[in-house]
């Protein structure tokens, strides 16, 4: 158990924050947000707020790469004034570096907290859904002229579904205990769908899908809305901005926004929200995506929740090493929610394909 798991985290964070070059003294440091990978704290001073994070280096092998990507991205955003998109600026340490190492080698960074914004726990109305689509589209357009080679790979294999399946099989093969029913059901559900996992990677390898700069984790939690206007103004959690497929982002965004209901009634995929998000996204990106990319959007919408289920399930089998849990069995339960979502998406394939076609202009009337 490290100092974080032993509950000493806020004390360490309160000490570390003083090594960053803040203009006024710190008045408060407290745990913040629901992220599963990094340790996150809200830092308050007299006149501003900041986000302090310890990057999980069991997940991100070289956290320095995250900071160098952030600086490339910040430069790119600054050169495109009027993009309507803000990203949080990093705050340097007193020694001039963009991060601080603690006594155990832990990697810390401090970012501005974009003022007058809020996150949404869930989408409440169609206008919010359109804002989500608009900001993701705006981001993809903004980075479309940023050469992917300028960004380092921060998380190798991220969203490469066949890799996650391989790992799942390896871990499963080493499990000798009898599986409880929920686990057996999840394993059966995954196994039945394994033939579909390379749909995106095969197309990428065959040269049908271009690698683009992507966000990697554009779930609802990572979008900030202006408190007054309600407009989506910022995308945060930029640790996985790297080369990838636009499908990873669209699939992840729709998974997190359109998956509704987590209780006994099951999880369903909300078609109205999907239509609103994708419609606004398509309007924003114009003709950025080519035909092959559009054709595989449905596959991405099905695949990314499947992939997340696979990741949660593997982590459950491995003893919850990757995703932070707050109670035993949480990763298995989360895998079940994603698998229920996948089943619902499969049942709505015709409708979702029609929405994609209508949004991207190949189907006249709204579906
Ligand atoms: C992780 O840590 P957080 O919550 O930002 C994960 C995402 C998953 C998400 C599921 C680097 O993101 O891929 O979609 O959990 N990030 C990484 O809640 O693996
Ligand atoms: Mg994240």
């Amino acid at each position: 158990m490290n100092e974080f798991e032993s509950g000493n985290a806020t004390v360490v964070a309160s000490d570390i924050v003083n090594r960053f070059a803040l203009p006024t003294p710190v008045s408060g440091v407290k745990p913040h947000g629901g992220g599963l990978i990094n340790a996150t704290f809200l830092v308050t001073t007299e006149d501003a707020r900041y986000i302090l994070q310890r990057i999980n280096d069991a997940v991100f092998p070289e956290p320095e790469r995250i900071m160098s990507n952030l600086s490339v991205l910040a430069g790119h955003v600054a050169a495109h004034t009027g993009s309507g998109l803000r990203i949080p600026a990093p705050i340097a340490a007193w020694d001039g570096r963009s991060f601080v190492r603690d006594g155990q080698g832990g990697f810390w960074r401090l970012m501005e907290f974009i003022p007058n914004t809020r996150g949404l726990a869930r989408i409440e109305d169609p206008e919010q859904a359109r804002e989500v689509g608009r900001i993701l589209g705006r981001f993809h357009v903004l980075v479309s002229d940023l050469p992917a080679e300028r960004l380092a790979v921060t998380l190798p294999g991220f969203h490469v579904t066949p890799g996650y399946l391989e790992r799942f099989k390896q871990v499963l093969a080493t499990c000798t205990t009898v599986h409880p029913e929920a686990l057996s059901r999840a394993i059966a559900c995954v196994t039945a769908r394994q033939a579909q996992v390379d749909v995106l990677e095969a197309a990428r390898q065959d040269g049908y899908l271009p690698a683009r700069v992507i966000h990697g984790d554009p779930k609802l939690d990572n979008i900030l809305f202006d408190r007054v206007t309600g407009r989506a103004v910022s995308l945060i959690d930029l640790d996985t901005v790297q080369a990838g497929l636009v499908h990873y982002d669209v699939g992840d965004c729709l998974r997190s926004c359109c998956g509704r209901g987590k209780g006994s009634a099951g999880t369903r995929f909300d078609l109205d929200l999907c239509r609103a998000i994708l419609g606004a996204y398509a309007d924003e990106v114009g003709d950025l995506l080519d035909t092959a990319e559009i054709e595989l959007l449905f596959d991405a919408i099905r695949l990314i929740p499947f992939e997340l289920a696979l990741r949660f399930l593997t982590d459950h089998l491995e003893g919850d090493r990757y995703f932070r849990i707050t109670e035993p069995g949480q990763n298995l339960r989360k895998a079940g929610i994603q698998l229920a979502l996948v089943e619902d998406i499969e049942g709505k394939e015709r409708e979702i394909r029609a929405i994609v076609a209508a949004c991207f202009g190949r189907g006249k009337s709204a579906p």
Side-chain angles (χ1 to χ4, degrees):
M1 190 183 278
N2 64 30
E3 67 210 284
F4 278 80
E5 284 133 15
S6 67
N8 200 20
T10 310
V11 177
V12 178
S14 306
D15 182 37
I16 288 290
V17 73
N18 295 314
R19 291 173 57 190
F20 287 94
L22 287 175
T24 48
V26 170
S27 52
V29 176
K30 58 175 189 186
H32 179 79
L36 302 176
I37 309 289
N38 299 326
T40 304
F41 303 87
L42 180 66
V43 173
T44 312
T45 68
E46 204 173 276
D47 48 14
R49 293 190 295 171
Y50 302 87
I51 293 291
L52 175 67
Q53 288 186 301
R54 191 180 85 148
I55 305 296
N56 182 338
D57 53 13
V59 169
F60 295 99
E62 288 184 56
E64 289 86 350
R65 292 181 168 190
I66 294 178
M67 300 315 290
S68 99
N69 281 1
L70 205 58
S71 121
V72 171
L73 191 65
H76 188 77
V77 174
H80 290 67
T81 47
S83 70
L85 196 132
R86 286 190 65 181
I87 60 168
I91 311 295
W94 287 114
D95 67 7
R97 292 200 292 179
S98 60
F99 59 90
V100 160
R101 290 264 183 201
D102 65 26
Q104 274 70 48
F107 186 102
W108 294 82
R109 58 105 185 271
L110 187 70
M111 316 277 293
E112 75 169 317
F113 185 102
I114 298 189
N116 306 316
T117 60
R118 66 180 185 122
L120 297 177
R122 76 196 300 265
I123 294 181
E124 302 291 353
D125 60 54
E127 190 46 35
Q128 290 177 345
R130 282 191 285 275
E131 280 302 311
V132 167
R134 276 187 205 119
I135 196 151
L136 185 61
R138 223 176 301 146
F139 178 79
H140 285 162
V141 171
L142 176 67
V143 293
S144 61
D145 63 343
L146 172 61
E149 314 78 69
R150 291 198 52 210
L151 297 174
V153 175
T154 60
L155 191 48
F158 192 45
H159 289 309
V160 177
T161 320
Y164 294 112
L165 179 67
E166 217 29 64
R167 181 83 197 123
F168 165 73
K169 285 180 170 172
Q170 281 168 10
V171 172
L172 189 60
T174 63
C175 288
T176 48
T177 51
V178 175
H179 301 318
E181 203 205 316
L183 179 56
S184 300
R185 236 182 305 123
I187 293 171
C189 199
V190 162
T191 310
R193 289 167 175 79
Q194 53 179 322
Q196 305 166 354
V197 299
D198 71 344
V199 56
L200 296 180
E201 298 314 312
R204 182 178 182 175
Q205 266 154 34
D206 292 345
Y208 288 120
L209 298 177
R212 297 180 182 277
V213 174
I214 61 153
H215 180 283
D217 192 14
K219 58 186 176 190
L220 185 59
D221 288 355
N222 287 338
I223 299 172
L224 296 183
F225 296 78
D226 186 293
R227 280 186 183 278
V228 177
T229 65
R231 303 295 304 256
V233 289
S234 178
L235 274 177
I236 56 171
D237 191 358
L238 302 161
D239 304 345
T240 50
V241 171
Q242 58 181 19
L245 299 176
V246 84
H247 300 78
Y248 305 156
D249 277 358
V250 172
D252 195 61
C253 183
L254 293 179
R255 165 195 78 68
S256 87
C257 295
C258 305
R260 308 289 260 194
K262 294 185 168 114
S264 50
T267 306
R268 63 185 183 83
F269 185 81
D270 189 310
L271 292 172
D272 292 331
L273 288 178
C274 172
R275 187 179 292 112
I277 295 171
L278 218 48
Y281 175 81
D283 289 347
E284 202 70 37
V285 295
D287 57 7
L288 179 71
L289 305 194
D290 64 30
T291 311
E293 286 179 300
I294 295 165
E295 263 166 19
L296 285 171
L297 283 176
F298 169 76
D299 299 84
I301 294 168
R302 178 180 50 192
L303 189 65
I304 298 300
F306 177 77
E307 175 190 279
L308 187 57
L310 201 50
R311 296 170 63 200
F312 282 141
L313 195 55
T314 307
D315 200 35
H316 174 76
L317 293 171
E318 276 196 297
D320 308 303
R321 296 187 207 159
Y322 188 101
F323 295 109
R324 184 180 301 124
I325 58 163
T326 52
E327 62 192 35
Q330 200 170 38
N331 278 323
L332 175 59
R333 217 162 24 76
K334 287 183 173 180
I337 291 169
Q338 295 303 315
L339 289 170
L341 185 60
V342 172
E343 281 178 359
D344 197 54
I345 290 169
E346 287 168 349
K348 291 172 176 162
E349 174 168 355
R350 200 181 50 81
E351 290 93 330
I352 298 171
R353 285 194 186 277
I355 289 172
V356 171
C359 292
F360 287 88
R362 277 178 293 124
K364 288 294 132 228
S365 56

